[in-house]
Amino acid sequence: MGLFNRKPKLPPADRPPLAAEERVLAWAAAGNGEGDGVVVASNLGLWLPGRGHRIGWHDILKAVWSGRELTVTPAERVAERDGYLVVADCPAETYLLLDPGELPHQVRARVTRSVAYTAHHPVPGGAGRIAARRMPGVDGLTWTVRYDPGTPADDAVAAETDRLVAAARAATTPADV
């Protein structure tokens, strides 16, 4: 990128309250129909307009770039089980980015890089996706399960999920650890 093609720095008024070890990777002015704001990608996660906190890369279930709009689906923690979290989709949030710059690339790269393992499995009465995600600044993986719509939340599903997560953890643990 040439000197004259560089995007200006993020204005101080638009800068989110970054942590000491956090740095801005990319940003873009955005609109979501409810007012304008700024979407900021940092090394630790994504700052969306109207939120006073960052969404960690490991907590983004899906991010889609249409060429004009960025749609982000964050995870909501539903339950904590032994060794993993059960998550569900929060409502998707869509932002129109007229000058996206590197933001869509950074979002895609960071969300993708956070995924260490993912597999979809049948469970009694439905199915679910087991995922292991990397969290910035945390050793090891965070395991999650996201059930397909209509999958019952009963003891049989929990037992099968426990077994599937344990098997996935065993299959991804290095032999020398």
Side-chain angles (χ1 to χ4, degrees), residues 28-31 65 67-68 95-101:
W65 173 242
R68 287 181 42 96
Y95 299 92
L96 176 64
L97 307 178
L98 297 178
D99 183 14

Side-chain angles (χ1 to χ4, degrees), residues 41 60 104 115 120 160:
I60 297 174
V115 179
H120 194 258
E160 180 62 6

Side-chain angles (χ1 to χ4, degrees), residues 20-113:
E21 69 281 2
E22 191 171 12
R23 67 185 188 285
V24 172
L25 303 173
W27 65 277
N32 64 357
E34 298 175 16
D36 295 331
V38 176
V39 178
V40 178
S42 79
N43 57 314
L44 299 180
L46 193 63
W47 294 86
L48 297 172
R51 290 178 176 253
H53 65 280
R54 142 187 20 89
I55 302 171
W57 297 117
H58 61 284
D59 285 328
I60 297 174
L61 294 176
K62 186 174 13 174
V64 177
W65 173 242
S66 72
R68 287 181 42 96
E69 293 180 328
L70 178 67
T71 301
V72 178
T73 305
E76 174 185 11
R77 293 176 184 197
V78 175
E80 187 169 342
R81 298 212 180 118
D82 188 28
Y84 66 95
L85 300 170
V86 177
V87 298
D89 293 12
C90 284
E93 299 178 33
T94 299
Y95 299 92
L96 176 64
L97 307 178
L98 297 178
D99 183 14
E102 287 292 309
L103 185 71
H105 169 73
Q106 285 292 335
V107 171
R108 178 183 175 97
R110 297 286 171 156
V111 171
T112 300
R113 191 179 311 153

